[in-house]
Amino acid sequence: MSVLHVVFKVDGAEYVLPASNVLQMESFNGATPVPGAPAHVAGLVQVRGRVIPVVDARRRFGLPPVERSLDTRVVVGQLGSRVVGLLVDSAREVLKVDPGLFKPPPPLVTEGAQGFVKAVAQVGPRLVMLIDFPRVIGEETPDGDAGH
């Protein structure tokens, strides 16, 4: 049985999050900086009446910044009761992926990606990377499951 995943791009690479963890995708019109916040936190945005923090995926992944475009999106995800936005280069697609296709990433990827990539899957001609959402947004726990 395939599971729906939201596909988004950062620096040309395709990443996925289970659609069950994504509330919506929004255009990015800028964020209000938060004094003292970690560098990877782009700031706060208001999404449908709710103020949420936004994590800049490029900064979190150690990639250089780029000029924002009309394709720039905030993927709004939910982790337990916490709602967090992930700022990505683009996000337009939902893809069905058989969970059996996901394999652990090669050790080089695991080390280089600081554990942000949980698994990789070849879906037709595409290689997609399943991100560890709790780790990316900074909510990881010592046992790595963020309570879920």
Side-chain angles (χ1 to χ4, degrees):
M1 184 172 98
S2 295
V3 176
L4 288 176
H5 287 77
V6 172
V7 182
F8 59 91
K9 286 187 178 181
V10 178
D11 202 36
E14 290 189 309
Y15 299 87
V16 294
L17 263 177
S20 61
N21 292 350
V22 176
L23 299 175
Q24 64 217 47
M25 295 182 280
E26 297 286 333
S27 297
F28 181 69
N29 299 313
T32 301
V34 179
H40 62 270
V41 176
L44 298 173
V45 299
Q46 185 169 346
V47 177
R48 298 186 186 186
R50 177 186 267 181
V51 176
I52 64 169
V54 175
V55 172
D56 185 334
R58 281 188 159 272
R59 284 194 179 186
R60 190 65 167 148
F61 296 167
L63 299 168
V66 294
E67 190 169 322
R68 306 292 182 215
S69 72
L70 292 175
D71 289 333
T72 304
R73 293 286 181 272
V74 176
V75 177
V76 181
Q78 184 158 17
L79 186 64
S81 62
R82 188 154 181 230
V83 177
V84 178
L86 186 62
L87 184 61
V88 301
D89 294 348
S90 66
R92 295 176 183 226
E93 182 182 5
V94 177
L95 180 69
K96 286 184 178 178
V97 182
D98 181 342
L101 293 177
F102 284 109
K103 307 293 182 209
L108 185 62
V109 171
T110 305
E111 295 163 13
Q114 304 172 44
F116 296 141
V117 176
K118 198 173 181 178
V120 296
Q122 185 77 39
V123 183
R126 306 163 72 176
L127 183 66
V128 296
M129 295 179 273
L130 178 66
I131 67 164
D132 186 335
F133 189 56
R135 183 174 294 273
V136 170
I137 65 170
E139 287 291 316
E140 71 274 13
T141 60
D143 64 359
D145 71 356
H148 301 277

